Structures are given as structure tokens and as C-alpha cells.
Amino acid sequence: MALFAWPDASVSRPLPTRVLPDHANKMKGVSSMRRLIPTLLMLTTLSAPVSAAPGGGAAAPAQPPTFLLAQAGDAALQSEWVTRLSATEAVTGPGADLEKAQAALNVVEGWFEANKTALVKVADYRTLMPRQIKLQMKLAKVTAVQALVDAEQAVKQRNPSLVDSANADLARADALTQAIAALIGADHDAVRGLKAYIDDVRGKVQAKVAQVKSGGGTASSGRLHPYTVQTYDTWCKNMAEDEGHLRGSEPLSKKVKELEGGQRWFQSSLQELRKHPDFAQRAPQMRALLFGLAELKGKLAVEMADKGLREMNPNYFSDSSGVTQQFKEADAVIELCLKELGPDEAGASAARASLAASRAAVDKDAVAYAKKSAASFRIPAEAYQGGDKEKLRQMVVSRWKALYPQDQIVLVRFVKPSWERRQETTYNNGSFYHYDNSALLVYVVIKKSAELGTAYPVYVNRNNKTGKLEVGAQTKGSGYSHQDVLLKNVH
């Protein structure tokens, strides 16, 4: 599947990705980092920004609904983005210095955050955004490694205050990971790998934290270690502040952000907090905050879905949308709460009931969106007039029925006047690869209900070297865009 499920389902064959060898990814000046994870700045092996046409061969871009067409962006802004990406990639590759890499990544991330609303409109957004995400993933990794560097210094200097810096770095690495997950989905292999990487570093940070001593001594019987006391006091302070956010009148997004920060700090400090004798006494307070965060996430999902309906934006209603992500994270927060803080069936039931109500509201918005979208969408006119059209039509029908025998096909429409050809030569691992393929876009409309049908893109792929034809119809239930349509408008 593509890194992104673009709304207009434009697809092309992804280029091969070159993975740098482990020995080329060691960081200078941080010997323990080499031993920890040798692939610190390895280029993340994400897919190209678009996905391959099912069935192989080149794929033509789909004919998107008019309301999904992207707008052309500012050429000057795009040029600056390209320059910044290239400059950052140049100084964050294999063998890069940790501090210089982190500084460069922070600069490009800050610039992106300040300009991301405008950047969505640039012409090459789909090509450039995956490069930005790769840099975000690098930043998350180097930020996590900086946490370990801080923890090592805390041990060497016997300075508990440096542990706060380590925890802050881990919290930021977690925040970057969550932001990436919101874009490409928490179940994406790249996101799972990034989370595993950061968790690995987190474990080593916690091991270093446990070694932190005050004056060279350890906690004696009847006397708590100063760092344990400091961590517990910080926790109490954080919970008091988060209760203020939970009860306050701030926007939902602000509340969620603040409580997420508290959650990440709690998770990274949990091992130390358990050493305090009053941990169990304070646990109910933290449970209430986590349950509150879960409920807020559900309400934020409703707010996002409402916006999607107002703007008629399909990205709010996909399986990889931020709306879906909020519910997944809310469920995870409840599970975390019960696992780490003990059972509380009453609190968990209340939180789950609130989430159920939020899901019902989102489902209502999704149905309303589908109806409005279907009413406005029209299948493009038949455009292809080649002499092989009926043969190709039968191939499409046969392939679709083989994959989805339960579907009732209402219409097969050739929406492109001609095949779209792609010839290219790529170089990978010492070899050149030559491609000469063509693709023809077809819409297959199946019956969804008495009133609605759903249009899916299908690609007839042709290898121009051999003449072989293949039908790529694995577009249902995947990242490919589909569109509901009123059956009365299907002609």
C-alpha cells in the first residue's frame, strides 16, 4: 500500500528504495550510540508517495471528482521547500554528527510547521511530503538518542536534573511519532518500527536513570532516594496542572495536547514512580486523568468529523484519518490505564460509554457526508473508443467477479480516451531497470444499497515489450480512493 492514500487515487509504480548498510550509519562522537542501534540515521524504507497499480505495470492517475482536485501552489514556496529538504538530507545522512543533525532537523521541522498550511497547495506536495516525513522520523530518532545522552551525563555527573531533560526528549520523540502516525496510520510498518526504536532507547534511558545517585550513595532502608522523591513531586504537580486543563475552557485540541504530554511523562517515569510508597494512593487521580483524556479524544474526533462534513473533505472519513486515529488512541489510553494503575470498572465503563456516543456521532456525520457526496458526484462519460474496448470490458468484469463474487456490477466505464504510457529507466544496486508500460483507467460501479452505488478505479495494465495485459482490480478495501454515487445518476 502507498505511504499515503491520496484522495484522487493517483498511482504509479514506486521506484526501488536503496537502504544504506548498517556500517554506514554510525554516529560520530557517541560511542554508546553505536553499540545501541547502529542504524540511527538509516534512511527509512518507506514506500514512494504513490502506490503501484494492482496487477503490475504502470498506472495512470485516476480521474478524481472535481471537489478533490488539488490546487496549484506557490512555485517560490515549493522551491524553498525543495532547497531546505535537500540541504537537511545532505547533513543528516550516514556518519552525520548527532548535534548537527538534530539542529538541522529541528530547523526544517520548524519551518515546515510554520508553513504547512500553504505547502499543502504546492504542485509537488505528493512527492515532497514523504521526504518531509522521513526527516521527521529521523528527528524522532535523534531526539530519543539525545535522551540517552542526557541520561548518561546524569549518571556521570550524578545530576538528577538532567533526567528531566531526558524525559522531555523522550516525550518529544513520542509526540513526533504520534504526528507521523496521524498522517500515515499507526499500523504502518514504518510507524511500528519507529515506536519500537524509541521504546528500545526508552528502556536504556530508564536503566541509566536507575543508576543516578546523589553524592554517590544509594537509598537506604527507610530513606527514599532523592530522585524518587523529585519524580513523585513532579508527578503530583503535573496531575494538578492537567486537572486544570481537563476542567478548563480551552479548545479540545489544546486540552488533548496537554493531557497527552502528561500521559507520555507518566509512562516514561512509571518505573521510578512505583518506588514511592504513595504511588498507589495517587493512582486513582492519574486514572481519572487518563479516562478523561480518552473521552476528550472521542469528542475531538467528533469535532474533526463535523469539520469534515462542513468542508465536504473525504480525508476526515477514511480508515487512516485523524478521526479514526483519535479513537484508536483513546482505546489504547484506557488499556494503559487499567494495566498500569489497576482495575476501575466504573471509570472504564464511563469512558467507554462516552467513546461509544462519540463514535455514533461520527458515524452519523459519515453517513451524511456519503449522501451529500454521492448526490454531487457524476461518473465521467465514456471516453475510450479503441477497437479492443469490449474485450477489455469483459476482462475487467471477469477479474472483478473473481475477486468479489458477491458484488453486483452496475456499470463499467472507460473514463480515459487513451492509454497512458510510462517509459523510465532506474538504477538500483548496481543494475539498470527499463520499464515500458501503459495503463487505461476504468471505473467499476457496484450496487451498495437500493439508492447508492460505489465507483472503484480499476487499471488495465499493458506491458508494451511483451503485449501482456493484466487487470489491476485489488482496489476495494485498500488505500485507493472510491466514491459513492446515486444509482439514479448512473447512466
Side-chain angles (χ1 to χ4, degrees):
M1 181 184 294
L3 175 59
F4 301 108
W6 296 111
D8 66 357
S10 296
V11 292
S12 64
R13 189 190 54 75
L15 300 179
T17 301
R18 180 171 181 263
V19 181
L20 297 174
D22 288 351
H23 65 77
N25 292 282
K26 297 179 180 179
M27 303 295 292
K28 297 178 181 177
V30 189
S31 60
S32 62
M33 298 309 100
R34 295 193 197 74
R35 295 192 302 271
L36 172 62
I37 303 175
T39 56
L40 174 63
L41 288 181
M42 185 167 67
L43 289 177
T44 309
T45 56
L46 298 175
S47 304
V50 290
S51 56
Q63 180 71 30
T66 303
F67 62 88
L68 297 182
L69 289 172
Q71 300 178 14
D74 183 347
L77 184 63
Q78 175 171 299
S79 177
E80 181 178 1
W81 193 10
V82 171
T83 300
R84 287 178 177 271
L85 288 172
S86 299
T88 307
E89 290 164 348
V91 298
T92 59
D97 177 84
L98 176 62
E99 292 185 3
K100 291 180 180 179
Q102 189 172 14
L105 289 164
N106 277 319
V107 169
V108 75
E109 177 66 10
W111 182 86
F112 174 77
E113 283 296 318
N115 295 277
K116 62 183 180 182
T117 301
L119 290 172
V120 172
K121 301 177 182 178
V122 304
D124 291 341
Y125 176 80
R126 300 175 188 176
T127 302
L128 298 177
M129 190 59 200
R131 294 172 61 186
Q132 182 72 41
I133 289 180
K134 289 181 182 180
L135 293 180
Q136 289 175 329
M137 296 185 77
K138 286 186 179 182
L139 178 56
K141 289 184 176 182
V142 298
T143 302
V145 171
Q146 184 60 51
L148 185 53
V149 173
D150 292 340
E152 287 180 336
Q153 291 302 310
V155 172
K156 292 177 181 178
Q157 299 177 22
R158 296 175 182 175
N159 183 357
S161 65
L162 285 174
V163 176
D164 289 338
S165 296
N167 286 332
D169 288 332
L170 286 174
R172 187 177 182 220
D174 288 335
L176 286 164
T177 303
Q178 288 190 353
I180 295 167
L183 283 172
I184 66 177
D187 294 332
H188 196 289
D189 288 343
V191 175
R192 287 199 295 265
L194 180 59
K195 287 181 177 179
Y197 182 99
I198 293 173
D199 286 342
D200 188 11
V201 178
R202 191 191 320 278
K204 291 182 168 47
V205 169
Q206 291 172 346
K208 296 292 181 183
V209 167
Q211 300 175 28
V212 176
K213 295 181 171 51
S214 178
T218 59
S220 60
S221 59
R223 179 173 176 269
L224 287 174
H225 193 289
Y227 178 66
T228 302
V229 175
Q230 179 191 36
T231 304
Y232 177 81
D233 290 344
T234 301
W235 182 38
C236 294
K237 179 182 177 182
N238 288 349
M239 287 193 294
E241 292 177 354
D242 286 344
E243 284 177 336
H245 292 300
L246 187 61
R247 295 192 300 265
S249 57
E250 298 167 317
L252 273 174
S253 57
K254 172 69 172 176
K255 290 184 176 186
V256 168
K257 181 178 179 180
E258 294 294 341
L259 267 69
E260 283 178 337
Q263 173 200 341
R264 288 191 295 269
W265 185 93
F266 169 73
Q267 287 182 262
S268 65
S269 306
L270 185 56
Q271 182 178 344
E272 194 66 33
L273 289 171
R274 290 190 185 281
K275 299 176 184 177
H276 200 285
D278 293 339
F279 175 79
Q281 180 181 344
R282 287 285 191 173
Q285 184 179 2
M286 189 67 200
R287 272 201 303 266
L289 285 170
L290 291 176
F291 287 147
L293 172 59
E295 293 186 31
L296 287 178
K297 281 183 167 293
K299 293 175 181 177
L300 180 59
V302 174
E303 188 176 271
M304 295 167 69
D306 288 345
K307 180 180 179 183
L309 180 58
R310 288 195 305 272
E311 298 177 357
M312 288 302 293
N313 188 335
N315 294 327
Y316 286 92
F317 300 101
S318 70
D319 291 338
S320 59
S321 69
V323 173
T324 302
Q325 189 64 28
Q326 290 299 327
F327 285 124
K328 289 182 179 179
E329 291 176 1
D331 291 335
V333 167
I334 293 175
E335 294 306 313
L336 166 72
C337 184
L338 296 176
K339 176 183 176 182
E340 303 295 355
L341 295 169
D344 182 354
E345 288 307 318
S349 295
R352 286 170 176 150
S354 176
L355 284 175
S358 295
R359 282 189 169 96
V362 168
D363 289 344
K364 183 178 179 181
D365 280 349
V367 170
Y369 166 81
K371 289 182 177 179
K372 291 179 68 176
S373 176
S376 63
F377 180 66
R378 298 293 186 275
I379 302 293
E382 186 85 12
Y384 183 67
Q385 299 301 329
D388 58 350
K389 180 168 66 173
E390 293 310 314
K391 171 187 172 183
L392 299 179
R393 191 189 308 276
Q394 290 303 314
M395 289 179 62
V396 169
V397 171
S398 177
R399 181 60 175 156
W400 191 273
K401 287 183 176 180
L403 290 172
Y404 317 108
Q406 75 284 0
D407 285 353
Q408 179 180 340
I409 297 176
V410 177
L411 177 73
V412 175
R413 175 69 53 82
F414 290 77
V415 297
K416 287 286 187 176
S418 60
W419 296 79
E420 183 164 325
R421 186 172 186 176
R422 171 166 295 184
Q423 295 173 289
E424 60 181 335
T425 299
T426 63
Y427 180 81
N428 186 43
N429 292 333
S431 300
F432 285 96
Y433 298 89
H434 304 281
Y435 301 95
D436 184 359
N437 302 294
S438 294
L440 187 63
L441 174 65
V442 182
Y443 275 169
V444 173
V445 181
I446 65 169
K447 187 174 183 179
K448 183 177 182 180
S449 67
E451 297 180 352
L452 292 177
T454 304
Y456 292 96
V458 170
Y459 298 92
V460 181
N461 298 299
R462 182 177 67 200
N463 184 322
N464 293 321
K465 293 181 178 180
T466 65
K468 182 179 180 181
L469 294 171
E470 291 184 339
V471 176
Q474 299 94 326
T475 54
K476 184 179 179 182
S478 65
Y480 289 89
S481 175
H482 59 273
Q483 174 65 50
D484 285 345
V485 59
L486 292 179
L487 290 178
K488 67 180 183 181
N489 293 331
V490 176
H491 307 294

